[in-house]
Amino acid sequence: MDLTGKVAVVTGSSRGLGRAIAVKLATLGAKVVVNFCSNREASEATLRLIEQSGGEAVAFQADVSVFDEAQGLVKKALEHFGRLDILVNNAGTTRDTLLVRMSEADWDIVMNTNLKSVFACCKAAQRAMMKRRYGRIVNITSIAGVAGNAGQTNYAASKAGMIGFTKSLAKEVGSRNITVNAVAPGYIPTDLSGQLPPELIAKGIDMTPLGHAGTPDDIANAVAFLVSDEAGFITGQILSVDGGLAMQ
């Protein structure tokens, strides 16, 4: 796979899955926009990893749960690099609790960060991609959006919404040579997933047919394929990268 000359925006890429995705795309030749909300130090660490691999990247701060900031992130990418070929919507958060205890803020924060950000970033990127008649969009959803998960009604709803969004947008922009796909990770140890209770983590691994957790690189490799020219005839698909967990 060769992404030389392509420009990619990866939201929420200062750490975790986003960092792995940003570094992977850069090693394949893409120029990468690293996005962070508040942790500038972590974003600089991502930039260093990219530079060490011989890649080129720039970091822009934006809270993509805010419509204008999400749109502004894409605008900055276009101004800096002059084009946009790849958009990976990875930014996400959780506010896990049973519905009976869930506050309105718990709901709104998760929906805005996980789902509204996808709407805002795709809307901003769509015009540039349609003009050039080329684009690759990958949305990072979750096994929770496919199968649901107790204590995560807000998170699962936001991730299921991403799946419907992915399929619908794929139908809208396919004629312009823009593909829209999603990756649904299973249990991947990151700062975000590390907030889960240990017993739930153990249960998730036990239910995974391959018998172990995945890694951020597993997700990054899947994204790299979906944004490559080798995947040019794949759109509207949800790729589970979960060690077989979705089959349970």
mmCIF file of all heavy atoms in Angstrom, residues 120-155:
data_model
loop_
_atom_site.group_PDB
_atom_site.id
_atom_site.type_symbol
_atom_site.label_atom_id
_atom_site.label_comp_id
_atom_site.label_asym_id
_atom_site.label_seq_id
_atom_site.Cartn_x
_atom_site.Cartn_y
_atom_site.Cartn_z
ATOM 1 N N ALA A 120 -19.945 16.759 11.435
ATOM 2 C CA ALA A 120 -19.304 18.042 11.163
ATOM 3 C C ALA A 120 -18.059 17.882 10.294
ATOM 4 O O ALA A 120 -17.853 18.639 9.337
ATOM 5 C CB ALA A 120 -18.946 18.726 12.485
ATOM 6 N N CYS A 121 -17.220 16.901 10.611
ATOM 7 C CA CYS A 121 -15.983 16.721 9.854
ATOM 8 C C CYS A 121 -16.265 16.231 8.431
ATOM 9 O O CYS A 121 -15.630 16.693 7.470
ATOM 10 C CB CYS A 121 -15.060 15.748 10.580
ATOM 11 S SG CYS A 121 -14.337 16.401 12.100
ATOM 12 N N CYS A 122 -17.199 15.305 8.289
ATOM 13 C CA CYS A 122 -17.532 14.811 6.947
ATOM 14 C C CYS A 122 -18.153 15.914 6.099
ATOM 15 O O CYS A 122 -17.867 16.029 4.904
ATOM 16 C CB CYS A 122 -18.487 13.623 7.038
ATOM 17 S SG CYS A 122 -17.697 12.082 7.560
ATOM 18 N N LYS A 123 -18.994 16.709 6.711
ATOM 19 C CA LYS A 123 -19.629 17.809 5.974
ATOM 20 C C LYS A 123 -18.582 18.787 5.465
ATOM 21 O O LYS A 123 -18.652 19.247 4.325
ATOM 22 C CB LYS A 123 -20.629 18.532 6.880
ATOM 23 C CG LYS A 123 -21.438 19.619 6.180
ATOM 24 C CD LYS A 123 -22.495 20.184 7.107
ATOM 25 C CE LYS A 123 -23.229 21.352 6.457
ATOM 26 N NZ LYS A 123 -23.981 20.943 5.260
ATOM 27 N N ALA A 124 -17.574 19.057 6.303
ATOM 28 C CA ALA A 124 -16.519 19.983 5.899
ATOM 29 C C ALA A 124 -15.618 19.384 4.826
ATOM 30 O O ALA A 124 -15.186 20.073 3.900
ATOM 31 C CB ALA A 124 -15.690 20.373 7.124
ATOM 32 N N ALA A 125 -15.327 18.080 4.946
ATOM 33 C CA ALA A 125 -14.408 17.438 4.001
ATOM 34 C C ALA A 125 -15.070 17.106 2.669
ATOM 35 O O ALA A 125 -14.393 17.018 1.640
ATOM 36 C CB ALA A 125 -13.858 16.157 4.623
ATOM 37 N N GLN A 126 -16.369 16.922 2.688
ATOM 38 C CA GLN A 126 -17.080 16.430 1.506
ATOM 39 C C GLN A 126 -16.889 17.320 0.282
ATOM 40 O O GLN A 126 -16.636 16.832 -0.819
ATOM 41 C CB GLN A 126 -18.570 16.284 1.823
ATOM 42 C CG GLN A 126 -19.399 15.758 0.675
ATOM 43 C CD GLN A 126 -20.861 15.606 1.080
ATOM 44 O OE1 GLN A 126 -21.209 15.664 2.240
ATOM 45 N NE2 GLN A 126 -21.722 15.416 0.094
ATOM 46 N N ARG A 127 -16.988 18.624 0.466
ATOM 47 C CA ARG A 127 -16.896 19.530 -0.679
ATOM 48 C C ARG A 127 -15.549 19.418 -1.381
ATOM 49 O O ARG A 127 -15.467 19.334 -2.606
ATOM 50 C CB ARG A 127 -17.157 20.971 -0.238
ATOM 51 C CG ARG A 127 -17.226 21.961 -1.398
ATOM 52 C CD ARG A 127 -17.528 23.364 -0.886
ATOM 53 N NE ARG A 127 -18.805 23.431 -0.200
ATOM 54 C CZ ARG A 127 -19.978 23.596 -0.816
ATOM 55 N NH1 ARG A 127 -20.013 23.709 -2.134
ATOM 56 N NH2 ARG A 127 -21.089 23.670 -0.130
ATOM 57 N N ALA A 128 -14.458 19.399 -0.577
ATOM 58 C CA ALA A 128 -13.121 19.307 -1.163
ATOM 59 C C ALA A 128 -12.933 17.977 -1.884
ATOM 60 O O ALA A 128 -12.329 17.921 -2.967
ATOM 61 C CB ALA A 128 -12.067 19.473 -0.078
ATOM 62 N N MET A 129 -13.438 16.903 -1.284
ATOM 63 C CA MET A 129 -13.298 15.591 -1.906
ATOM 64 C C MET A 129 -14.134 15.479 -3.181
ATOM 65 O O MET A 129 -13.688 14.910 -4.184
ATOM 66 C CB MET A 129 -13.710 14.501 -0.906
ATOM 67 C CG MET A 129 -12.744 14.317 0.247
ATOM 68 S SD MET A 129 -13.277 12.992 1.386
ATOM 69 C CE MET A 129 -11.861 12.911 2.493
ATOM 70 N N MET A 130 -15.332 16.005 -3.148
ATOM 71 C CA MET A 130 -16.202 15.945 -4.327
ATOM 72 C C MET A 130 -15.612 16.749 -5.474
ATOM 73 O O MET A 130 -15.707 16.344 -6.637
ATOM 74 C CB MET A 130 -17.603 16.439 -3.978
ATOM 75 C CG MET A 130 -18.367 15.517 -3.045
ATOM 76 S SD MET A 130 -20.018 16.119 -2.612
ATOM 77 C CE MET A 130 -20.874 15.881 -4.171
ATOM 78 N N LYS A 131 -14.989 17.865 -5.159
ATOM 79 C CA LYS A 131 -14.385 18.713 -6.194
ATOM 80 C C LYS A 131 -13.278 17.971 -6.918
ATOM 81 O O LYS A 131 -13.129 18.080 -8.145
ATOM 82 C CB LYS A 131 -13.864 19.994 -5.561
ATOM 83 C CG LYS A 131 -13.318 20.996 -6.566
ATOM 84 C CD LYS A 131 -12.893 22.293 -5.874
ATOM 85 C CE LYS A 131 -12.366 23.296 -6.887
ATOM 86 N NZ LYS A 131 -11.958 24.570 -6.221
ATOM 87 N N ARG A 132 -12.487 17.194 -6.166
ATOM 88 C CA ARG A 132 -11.376 16.451 -6.763
ATOM 89 C C ARG A 132 -11.795 15.058 -7.236
ATOM 90 O O ARG A 132 -11.004 14.332 -7.804
ATOM 91 C CB ARG A 132 -10.238 16.320 -5.748
ATOM 92 C CG ARG A 132 -9.616 17.653 -5.358
ATOM 93 C CD ARG A 132 -8.374 17.476 -4.491
ATOM 94 N NE ARG A 132 -7.354 16.703 -5.203
ATOM 95 C CZ ARG A 132 -6.983 15.482 -4.863
ATOM 96 N NH1 ARG A 132 -7.551 14.875 -3.834
ATOM 97 N NH2 ARG A 132 -6.059 14.848 -5.540
ATOM 98 N N ARG A 133 -13.046 14.697 -6.938
ATOM 99 C CA ARG A 133 -13.583 13.385 -7.306
ATOM 100 C C ARG A 133 -12.718 12.260 -6.749
ATOM 101 O O ARG A 133 -12.406 11.282 -7.425
ATOM 102 C CB ARG A 133 -13.734 13.244 -8.825
ATOM 103 C CG ARG A 133 -14.668 14.275 -9.443
ATOM 104 C CD ARG A 133 -14.943 13.985 -10.893
ATOM 105 N NE ARG A 133 -15.776 12.798 -11.033
ATOM 106 C CZ ARG A 133 -17.111 12.791 -10.986
ATOM 107 N NH1 ARG A 133 -17.767 13.927 -10.784
ATOM 108 N NH2 ARG A 133 -17.791 11.665 -11.126
ATOM 109 N N TYR A 134 -12.357 12.435 -5.473
ATOM 110 C CA TYR A 134 -11.588 11.393 -4.792
ATOM 111 C C TYR A 134 -11.678 11.617 -3.288
ATOM 112 O O TYR A 134 -11.559 12.746 -2.800
ATOM 113 C CB TYR A 134 -10.108 11.424 -5.193
ATOM 114 C CG TYR A 134 -9.302 10.333 -4.501
ATOM 115 C CD1 TYR A 134 -9.152 9.076 -5.085
ATOM 116 C CD2 TYR A 134 -8.736 10.558 -3.247
ATOM 117 C CE1 TYR A 134 -8.446 8.070 -4.437
ATOM 118 C CE2 TYR A 134 -8.020 9.559 -2.596
ATOM 119 C CZ TYR A 134 -7.887 8.314 -3.196
ATOM 120 O OH TYR A 134 -7.199 7.313 -2.553
ATOM 121 N N GLY A 135 -11.851 10.537 -2.553
ATOM 122 C CA GLY A 135 -11.831 10.643 -1.101
ATOM 123 C C GLY A 135 -11.959 9.292 -0.435
ATOM 124 O O GLY A 135 -12.541 8.357 -0.989
ATOM 125 N N ARG A 136 -11.382 9.194 0.749
ATOM 126 C CA ARG A 136 -11.488 7.996 1.570
ATOM 127 C C ARG A 136 -11.861 8.434 2.987
ATOM 128 O O ARG A 136 -11.101 9.172 3.629
ATOM 129 C CB ARG A 136 -10.153 7.233 1.610
ATOM 130 C CG ARG A 136 -9.679 6.723 0.256
ATOM 131 C CD ARG A 136 -10.497 5.505 -0.185
ATOM 132 N NE ARG A 136 -9.957 4.910 -1.404
ATOM 133 C CZ ARG A 136 -10.379 5.213 -2.619
ATOM 134 N NH1 ARG A 136 -11.326 6.148 -2.782
ATOM 135 N NH2 ARG A 136 -9.862 4.621 -3.675
ATOM 136 N N ILE A 137 -13.007 7.980 3.453
ATOM 137 C CA ILE A 137 -13.472 8.299 4.803
ATOM 138 C C ILE A 137 -13.619 6.995 5.577
ATOM 139 O O ILE A 137 -14.232 6.045 5.087
ATOM 140 C CB ILE A 137 -14.812 9.052 4.774
ATOM 141 C CG1 ILE A 137 -14.667 10.396 4.049
ATOM 142 C CG2 ILE A 137 -15.338 9.270 6.198
ATOM 143 C CD1 ILE A 137 -15.985 11.119 3.816
ATOM 144 N N VAL A 138 -13.041 6.955 6.776
ATOM 145 C CA VAL A 138 -13.188 5.795 7.658
ATOM 146 C C VAL A 138 -13.635 6.288 9.030
ATOM 147 O O VAL A 138 -12.996 7.164 9.624
ATOM 148 C CB VAL A 138 -11.884 4.992 7.792
ATOM 149 C CG1 VAL A 138 -12.079 3.837 8.782
ATOM 150 C CG2 VAL A 138 -11.448 4.448 6.439
ATOM 151 N N ASN A 139 -14.717 5.734 9.519
ATOM 152 C CA ASN A 139 -15.249 6.085 10.827
ATOM 153 C C ASN A 139 -14.957 4.952 11.811
ATOM 154 O O ASN A 139 -15.221 3.787 11.500
ATOM 155 C CB ASN A 139 -16.756 6.326 10.737
ATOM 156 C CG ASN A 139 -17.097 7.447 9.781
ATOM 157 O OD1 ASN A 139 -16.404 8.467 9.755
ATOM 158 N ND2 ASN A 139 -18.136 7.270 8.986
ATOM 159 N N ILE A 140 -14.417 5.285 12.965
ATOM 160 C CA ILE A 140 -14.101 4.271 13.973
ATOM 161 C C ILE A 140 -15.308 4.090 14.880
ATOM 162 O O ILE A 140 -15.583 4.916 15.755
ATOM 163 C CB ILE A 140 -12.854 4.647 14.785
ATOM 164 C CG1 ILE A 140 -11.679 4.958 13.849
ATOM 165 C CG2 ILE A 140 -12.504 3.501 15.742
ATOM 166 C CD1 ILE A 140 -11.286 3.811 12.920
ATOM 167 N N THR A 141 -16.049 3.015 14.652
ATOM 168 C CA THR A 141 -17.212 2.707 15.473
ATOM 169 C C THR A 141 -16.783 1.727 16.555
ATOM 170 O O THR A 141 -15.681 1.831 17.091
ATOM 171 C CB THR A 141 -18.382 2.208 14.597
ATOM 172 O OG1 THR A 141 -19.498 1.902 15.430
ATOM 173 C CG2 THR A 141 -18.008 1.019 13.755
ATOM 174 N N SER A 142 -17.600 0.746 16.900
ATOM 175 C CA SER A 142 -17.269 -0.171 17.990
ATOM 176 C C SER A 142 -18.159 -1.400 17.923
ATOM 177 O O SER A 142 -19.273 -1.357 17.390
ATOM 178 C CB SER A 142 -17.463 0.523 19.343
ATOM 179 O OG SER A 142 -17.417 -0.396 20.417
ATOM 180 N N ILE A 143 -17.686 -2.483 18.495
ATOM 181 C CA ILE A 143 -18.507 -3.673 18.651
ATOM 182 C C ILE A 143 -19.772 -3.343 19.435
ATOM 183 O O ILE A 143 -20.832 -3.948 19.227
ATOM 184 C CB ILE A 143 -17.697 -4.787 19.368
ATOM 185 C CG1 ILE A 143 -18.509 -6.074 19.492
ATOM 186 C CG2 ILE A 143 -17.222 -4.335 20.717
ATOM 187 C CD1 ILE A 143 -18.738 -6.800 18.207
ATOM 188 N N ALA A 144 -19.692 -2.340 20.321
ATOM 189 C CA ALA A 144 -20.867 -1.932 21.097
ATOM 190 C C ALA A 144 -21.963 -1.380 20.195
ATOM 191 O O ALA A 144 -23.156 -1.496 20.502
ATOM 192 C CB ALA A 144 -20.480 -0.893 22.147
ATOM 193 N N GLY A 145 -21.567 -0.769 19.087
ATOM 194 C CA GLY A 145 -22.550 -0.248 18.146
ATOM 195 C C GLY A 145 -23.209 -1.326 17.326
ATOM 196 O O GLY A 145 -24.257 -1.112 16.724
ATOM 197 N N VAL A 146 -22.600 -2.502 17.296
ATOM 198 C CA VAL A 146 -23.144 -3.644 16.560
ATOM 199 C C VAL A 146 -23.997 -4.514 17.461
ATOM 200 O O VAL A 146 -25.110 -4.913 17.103
ATOM 201 C CB VAL A 146 -22.000 -4.493 15.963
ATOM 202 C CG1 VAL A 146 -22.543 -5.723 15.257
ATOM 203 C CG2 VAL A 146 -21.144 -3.653 15.020
ATOM 204 N N ALA A 147 -23.497 -4.795 18.665
ATOM 205 C CA ALA A 147 -24.155 -5.758 19.556
ATOM 206 C C ALA A 147 -24.757 -5.139 20.798
ATOM 207 O O ALA A 147 -25.512 -5.804 21.514
ATOM 208 C CB ALA A 147 -23.150 -6.836 19.959
ATOM 209 N N GLY A 148 -24.444 -3.860 21.083
ATOM 210 C CA GLY A 148 -24.917 -3.250 22.316
ATOM 211 C C GLY A 148 -24.079 -3.694 23.496
ATOM 212 O O GLY A 148 -23.329 -4.660 23.422
ATOM 213 N N ASN A 149 -24.216 -2.967 24.600
ATOM 214 C CA ASN A 149 -23.471 -3.321 25.803
ATOM 215 C C ASN A 149 -24.132 -2.664 27.011
ATOM 216 O O ASN A 149 -24.352 -1.456 27.017
ATOM 217 C CB ASN A 149 -22.011 -2.869 25.702
ATOM 218 C CG ASN A 149 -21.116 -3.565 26.693
ATOM 219 O OD1 ASN A 149 -21.388 -4.689 27.113
ATOM 220 N ND2 ASN A 149 -20.044 -2.912 27.080
ATOM 221 N N ALA A 150 -24.468 -3.457 28.001
ATOM 222 C CA ALA A 150 -25.106 -2.917 29.200
ATOM 223 C C ALA A 150 -24.218 -1.865 29.847
ATOM 224 O O ALA A 150 -23.002 -2.038 29.949
ATOM 225 C CB ALA A 150 -25.388 -4.048 30.191
ATOM 226 N N GLY A 151 -24.821 -0.778 30.267
ATOM 227 C CA GLY A 151 -24.061 0.307 30.874
ATOM 228 C C GLY A 151 -23.490 1.283 29.871
ATOM 229 O O GLY A 151 -22.793 2.221 30.260
ATOM 230 N N GLN A 152 -23.789 1.066 28.589
ATOM 231 C CA GLN A 152 -23.259 1.942 27.542
ATOM 232 C C GLN A 152 -24.337 2.334 26.532
ATOM 233 O O GLN A 152 -24.084 2.375 25.332
ATOM 234 C CB GLN A 152 -22.101 1.255 26.810
ATOM 235 C CG GLN A 152 -20.833 1.097 27.623
ATOM 236 C CD GLN A 152 -19.654 0.663 26.767
ATOM 237 O OE1 GLN A 152 -19.756 -0.252 25.958
ATOM 238 N NE2 GLN A 152 -18.520 1.324 26.939
ATOM 239 N N THR A 153 -25.528 2.614 27.000
ATOM 240 C CA THR A 153 -26.580 2.964 26.046
ATOM 241 C C THR A 153 -26.215 4.205 25.242
ATOM 242 O O THR A 153 -26.498 4.283 24.042
ATOM 243 C CB THR A 153 -27.927 3.197 26.756
ATOM 244 O OG1 THR A 153 -27.746 4.137 27.838
ATOM 245 C CG2 THR A 153 -28.498 1.891 27.302
ATOM 246 N N ASN A 154 -25.579 5.182 25.873
ATOM 247 C CA ASN A 154 -25.172 6.388 25.146
ATOM 248 C C ASN A 154 -24.070 6.076 24.143
ATOM 249 O O ASN A 154 -24.142 6.460 22.973
ATOM 250 C CB ASN A 154 -24.745 7.482 26.126
ATOM 251 C CG ASN A 154 -23.755 7.010 27.188
ATOM 252 O OD1 ASN A 154 -23.340 5.844 27.212
ATOM 253 N ND2 ASN A 154 -23.363 7.909 28.075
ATOM 254 N N TYR A 155 -23.043 5.359 24.598
ATOM 255 C CA TYR A 155 -21.917 5.017 23.737
ATOM 256 C C TYR A 155 -22.359 4.118 22.578
ATOM 257 O O TYR A 155 -22.021 4.366 21.409
ATOM 258 C CB TYR A 155 -20.841 4.312 24.570
ATOM 259 C CG TYR A 155 -19.591 3.941 23.812
ATOM 260 C CD1 TYR A 155 -18.639 4.901 23.490
ATOM 261 C CD2 TYR A 155 -19.348 2.617 23.439
ATOM 262 C CE1 TYR A 155 -17.478 4.558 22.815
ATOM 263 C CE2 TYR A 155 -18.186 2.263 22.766
ATOM 264 C CZ TYR A 155 -17.261 3.241 22.453
ATOM 265 O OH TYR A 155 -16.112 2.897 21.782
#
